Amino acid sequence: MALRLSVKARVTAWFTALMLLVTAAALGFIVALGGTMLEGIAKANLSRAVQVNAGAVEYYRDERSEKFELDDDFSPNIFGSRCAVYTGEGRLLTGVMPDGLGAGEPFAAGPPRLVSGGGQRFYICDLPISGGALWVRGVTTAEEAEVFFTSMARLSFVILPVLVLIGAAGGYFIVRRAFRPIDRMIAAADAINEGSDLSARIGLPPKDDEIHRIAAAFDRMLARLEASFESEKQFASDASHELRTPTAVILAQCSALEKEGLTEKDYKKGISAIDRQAQKMSRLISRLLNITRLEQGTVKAQFERADLSELASVVCREMSSVHPDAELSSEIEPEIYAELDVALMSRLIENLVENAIKYGDGKVRVTLRREGGDVKLAVGDNGPGITPEELPKIWQRFYRSDKSRSSGGLGLGLSLVKQIAGLHNARVTAESFPGKGSVFTLTMAER
């Protein structure tokens, strides 16, 4: 059976394997090139020590004698090397050489070379002064470089694996911390799946990294799903509640029409009642579908720059012809343009005007004007008004005040108005003065 690792374990394993590969390469580099590099450093320091001390030796010779002087810069132990000054014949003038290595080794100018003496190996470097009258010799043991290299190699074989373990532990900690939001996402999804609770959210604080952006997108998706689900539940509840009465009336009329001995007038009266209730059901279903589609976003608004003044004027003329008994007046400022969906905005204005006619006392006034960079469309009536307690509820579906229930309205017009206003990034408000009427105002930006 194949071993199944979590993503955190796979990322940590890959990171650890990469560190092991780098560590192995570093150790191989130390083994392969470390000794050569240290040997080169030792030879370079030896050559430098000889050159520095040679510059500090001054040689004088005349017909009677010869002599030399050492500056203060001369140092017999410098850069890890021992230096001495010899005559051309091999006599030591100053300095100390390691045991087993004296002037027995012939002088030879050039780069450092490897020699043996007293059971040891040495790097030796000679530099002539005054044509070979004096020689500055520098010596360093080869074993020092080898011992240093061995110590470094051993230390590397201890430190580098420890660093790999620390890096693996740190990598796992970072990966675990980075994947913690995903665990919360899984927990939220499981909670929703087990309890059907769409209100659960991940709730991570906002950060600008990929996982936090995914979590935020996940929360937005859940919010949309919850809104859609609640909308469907609301639709089913509202539809079943409001369809109950017309359905009962239709069934009652059908049962009554099945009786014997009914006159033609009775049949016409019953069929007329059935027709009225069927028309009401049709309007109700159509309005509910429109509201639900707007809430779920399945209706895509087709925005265009249109003449709102002309649109409002056309709607007012049409509503006047449909309701000739109503006294509808308008005061519309010309050439007001805005980005809007013409069909939806027409429906919004129609609903406001129809609501004013239905619940007013026959007088409706429509105004459209610019105000401080905004456009304001107001529809007022002279009806009985709305009490302050009822005013916040009028945007709810199927809400109708006690005074207006006899009007036969469905209670969906203002809910649809609010939905359409939201699509246009506009706001709709209501003011009412009991006994004097109500004013509904749509405010949106002019473009």
Side-chain angles (χ1 to χ4, degrees), residues 117-315:
Q120 298 185 62
R121 295 185 303 154
F122 301 91
Y123 291 114
I124 190 170
C125 181
D126 296 326
L127 186 63
I129 298 175
S130 299
L134 296 178
W135 287 84
V136 177
R137 169 166 286 180
V139 177
T140 187
T141 60
E143 283 76 7
E144 290 181 2
E146 292 174 355
V147 170
F148 180 75
F149 167 70
T150 303
S151 300
M152 288 294 296
R154 289 177 179 173
L155 189 62
S156 298
F157 273 94
V158 173
I159 292 178
L160 291 179
V162 172
L163 291 178
V164 170
L165 293 177
I166 294 174
Y172 180 76
F173 174 77
I174 293 173
V175 171
R176 183 179 178 183
R177 186 178 180 86
F179 276 72
R180 191 175 299 165
I182 294 181
D183 293 335
R184 292 178 63 173
M185 292 170 65
I186 294 172
D190 289 341
I192 293 171
N193 186 49
E194 293 173 2
S196 299
D197 181 14
L198 288 175
S199 64
R201 298 291 184 270
I202 301 171
L204 290 180
K207 289 186 180 179
D208 193 25
D209 59 65
E210 293 81 356
I211 294 181
H212 282 75
R213 289 202 298 269
I214 290 174
F218 197 85
D219 281 344
R220 290 194 297 271
M221 179 188 69
L222 288 176
R224 185 174 177 83
L225 287 174
E226 182 183 16
S228 177
F229 182 71
E230 292 298 327
S231 177
E232 290 182 4
K233 286 175 58 179
Q234 184 69 33
F235 175 84
S237 175
D238 293 343
S240 62
H241 176 75
E242 291 297 322
L243 291 174
R244 186 179 303 153
T245 299
T247 302
V249 173
I250 291 175
L251 291 175
Q253 290 294 332
C254 289
S255 178
L257 293 176
E258 289 177 350
K259 296 179 180 180
E260 296 181 357
L262 296 179
T263 64
E264 181 179 353
K265 183 178 180 182
D266 294 330
Y267 281 111
K268 287 183 177 180
K269 184 178 179 181
I271 292 175
S272 176
I274 292 173
D275 180 69
R276 286 195 305 273
Q277 297 302 320
Q279 292 292 340
K280 182 178 181 180
M281 292 173 66
S282 177
R283 293 195 306 272
L284 174 64
I285 293 171
S286 178
R287 290 279 182 90
L288 281 173
L289 287 175
N290 286 333
I291 293 175
T292 303
R293 287 167 181 166
L294 288 173
E295 288 179 345
Q296 294 181 345
T298 55
V299 173
K300 300 299 181 182
Q302 304 296 322
F303 289 101
E304 60 180 290
R305 190 170 187 272
D307 190 341
L308 183 58
S309 300
E310 179 64 23
L311 179 63
S313 299
V314 170
V315 172

Side-chain angles (χ1 to χ4, degrees), residues 299-443:
V299 173
K300 300 299 181 182
Q302 304 296 322
F303 289 101
E304 60 180 290
R305 190 170 187 272
D307 190 341
L308 183 58
S309 300
E310 179 64 23
L311 179 63
S313 299
V314 170
V315 172
C316 288
R317 288 196 297 270
E318 290 177 351
M319 297 301 292
S320 294
S321 62
V322 173
H323 301 278
D325 296 335
E327 185 180 337
L328 197 157
S329 62
S330 62
E331 184 179 339
I332 298 174
E333 188 174 334
E335 297 183 353
I336 295 179
Y337 289 84
E339 291 289 331
L340 48 87
D341 183 304
V342 174
L344 290 178
M345 187 55 65
S346 297
R347 188 177 303 169
L348 182 148
I349 300 173
E350 288 174 2
N351 283 358
L352 288 179
V353 174
E354 186 174 356
N355 184 78
I357 293 174
K358 189 176 298 181
Y359 299 136
D361 286 340
K363 290 186 178 181
V364 178
R365 181 172 180 80
V366 178
T367 61
L368 177 65
R369 66 184 185 278
R370 296 180 179 90
E371 187 175 299
D374 291 330
V375 175
K376 290 200 173 185
L377 173 72
V379 178
D381 62 63
N382 63 336
I386 306 168
T387 64
E389 294 77 18
E390 292 178 315
L391 200 59
K393 304 176 184 178
I394 61 175
W395 309 106
Q396 300 174 8
R397 283 188 240 180
F398 299 110
Y399 180 80
R400 285 171 290 174
S401 64
D402 292 335
K403 297 177 182 178
S404 61
R405 289 189 183 275
S406 60
S407 64
L410 298 174
L412 293 173
L414 292 181
S415 178
L416 188 58
V417 165
K418 194 171 185 65
Q419 293 288 339
I420 296 174
L423 281 178
H424 287 79
N425 292 323
R427 67 180 185 276
V428 59
T429 57
E431 293 179 285
S432 188
F433 311 95
K436 296 182 179 180
S438 304
V439 177
F440 293 83
T441 304
L442 175 75
T443 304

